Every structure is written in C-alpha cells, then in structure tokens.
Amino acid sequence: EVQLVQSGAEVKKPGESLKISCQASGYGFASRWIGWVRQMPEKDLEYLGIMFPANSDIRYSPSFQGQVTISADISTSSAYLQLNILEASDTAMYYCARGEPGSFDFWGPGTLVTVSS
Amino acid sequence: DVVMTQSPLSLPVTLGQPASISCRSSRSLVYADGNTYLSWFQQRPGQSPRRLIYKVSNRDSGVPDRFSASGSGTYFTLKISRVEAEDVGVYYCMQGSHSPWTFGQGTKVEIK
C-alpha cells in the first residue's frame, strides 16, 4: 500500500526557516518523482516543484524558485521541502505528492504551516 | 505559464442529477510524446486531493464509473452522471504537459 506520511503542523515566526518532510512507503521511492504543492487558506493548489530522487533531478516552478528548496534522502525514503525566510503569506497547507509523467497520482495528508508573529 | 480556467466556479447540484465541469487551457496540452497530460482531482472538505482522472479520460483505480471525462487540445470536461452526497468538494483540473504544471481555480460542488 502506497503511503506518504508528512511531518506535523508547524507554527513559525516571520524570518525563520522550516524544513518539512514526507516519508514514502509501499513503492520504490528512488524511481518515482515526488513533488510539492501549496494550498493557501481557502485558495487554489499551486505547484512548487518536483524531484526525481534517483538522480536528484529537481524542477522548480519559476514562481517559487529561490523561495523553496526540495531535497530527498533515499536511505529513508523521505522527501523534504525547505521554506526560507518565512513570511505571513507562507501560511498554507503543503502537500507532497507522488509524481508520474504529467501528473500526481497519490497525495500525502498535508502539513499545515502557520507563520505569525 | 499555462493558464487553466475552470467553469463554473460554483456548482449546486440536486442529488441524483448530473453535473459537468469544464476546463480550458491557454495552450494545447498535447505533449511531444503524443499524450495529453490533463488530470482531474477531487478535494473533499478537510482532505487532501485525490486524483480521479489522468491523461484526459482514464479513471483511476477505485473511482466510481459515474465519473467520466473527455476533451482534447485546450478544452476538457469532467462529468458526474448522478451526483451523490460523497461527491461534495472542490474539483481541480491540472495540466502536466508544460512546465510548470498548473491547476485550475477549482469548482466547488455542493448539494442544493
């Protein structure tokens, strides 16, 4: 059974950084793309980027390049999303999702990030 | 970026009646390999998105056959033949033919 387990909710202050995780099981983690999607409160889904763990090929949305860093650890089947210099506007639910050509076929439960002074 | 435009944004439906959502892309979604990477996702209240349809018209495993989808090029449609209470939520189209992948604004399906 495919599972994506994400780290728990976080509350951060503006200016801080944060790294959230997504641990995969039930499939070959290294050989499948894994991506990240943001959903601000009551808003649409926004694609942040995607990574192929086996060769560390990472593709960012130009809108988020420099604001986020995607990484992975094959030894623990985990993907990570680092959010740099947090602002209140980074308050959102962040989803990891397993990728396949042109789509995401399985989503994690999401990690709620709240940025507030 | 490819802009995905859904309509309507709100869709009140009577139980047992059909529903239809359209999605237009600002560019053709036919990819170099001949595939069209247009997916539909359902997001029930308080849940993460779940994919229903991939490559325009292919239903994912476990998706009820009351869901169907069609389209080509820049115009796509998701249809629910008979809406059930569990279908309440927001539906998103997403294109994966052009980088960055982009989503539609979402269509909120609710019961009248």
Side-chain angles (χ1 to χ4, degrees), chain B residues 46-60:
Chain B
Q47 295 187 15
S48 57
R50 164 201 181 197
R51 194 176 70 179
L52 302 175
I53 302 287
Y54 62 96
K55 286 194 285 186
V56 181
S57 60
N58 296 275
R59 256 193 319 271
D60 271 281

Side-chain angles (χ1 to χ4, degrees), chain A residues 36-95:
Chain A
W36 292 91
V37 175
R38 181 177 85 170
Q39 187 170 38
M40 297 170 71
E42 306 299 323
K43 296 292 185 183
D44 315 335
L45 302 169
E46 298 173 281
Y47 170 86
L48 302 181
I50 200 166
M51 177 177 186
F52 194 75
N55 62 7
S56 297
D57 185 359
I58 304 173
R59 302 174 189 188
Y60 293 102
S61 166
S63 298
F64 293 94
Q65 181 105 37
Q67 299 177 45
V68 302
T69 303
I70 295 171
S71 61
D73 181 345
I74 292 175
S75 68
T76 60
S77 297
S78 296
Y80 299 95
L81 177 71
Q82 179 155 338
L83 308 174
N84 305 310
I85 312 176
L86 289 164
E87 302 176 357
S89 59
D90 292 314
T91 294
M93 185 73 84
Y94 292 83
Y95 295 102

Side-chain angles (χ1 to χ4, degrees), chain B:
Chain B
D1 297 2
V2 175
V3 177
M4 304 297 288
T5 304
Q6 290 183 227
S7 65
L9 299 185
S10 178
L11 185 55
V13 188
T14 301
L15 285 172
Q17 292 300 302
S20 181
I21 301 169
S22 69
C23 173
R24 286 185 186 272
S25 58
S26 59
R27 293 173 59 186
S28 172
L29 299 186
V30 179
Y31 189 61
D33 64 4
N35 289 307
T36 299
Y37 294 108
L38 187 285
S39 303
W40 289 95
F41 298 90
Q42 174 196 60
Q43 188 174 31
R44 291 172 170 153
Q47 295 187 15
S48 57
R50 164 201 181 197
R51 194 176 70 179
L52 302 175
I53 302 287
Y54 62 96
K55 286 194 285 186
V56 181
S57 60
N58 296 275
R59 256 193 319 271
D60 271 281
S61 176
V63 175
D65 61 8
R66 64 179 180 274
F67 289 92
S68 64
S70 61
S72 64
T74 63
Y75 186 76
F76 306 91
T77 303
L78 174 71
K79 295 183 178 178
I80 310 174
S81 59
R82 294 173 307 279
V83 171
E84 298 189 6
E86 66 178 17
D87 300 334
V88 165
V90 181
Y91 292 77
Y92 296 92
C93 59
M94 186 201 84
Q95 68 82 20
S97 294
H98 303 283
S99 185
W101 297 358
T102 48
F103 294 89
Q105 321 98 300
T107 295
K108 188 173 184 178
V109 172
E110 58 185 10
I111 304 301
K112 279 184 185 175

Side-chain angles (χ1 to χ4, degrees), chain A residues 93-116:
Chain A
M93 185 73 84
Y94 292 83
Y95 295 102
C96 64
R98 187 177 71 170
E100 61 176 29
S103 190
F104 292 121
D105 67 342
F106 191 84
W107 295 61
T111 294
L112 181 62
V113 174
T114 303
V115 183
S116 174

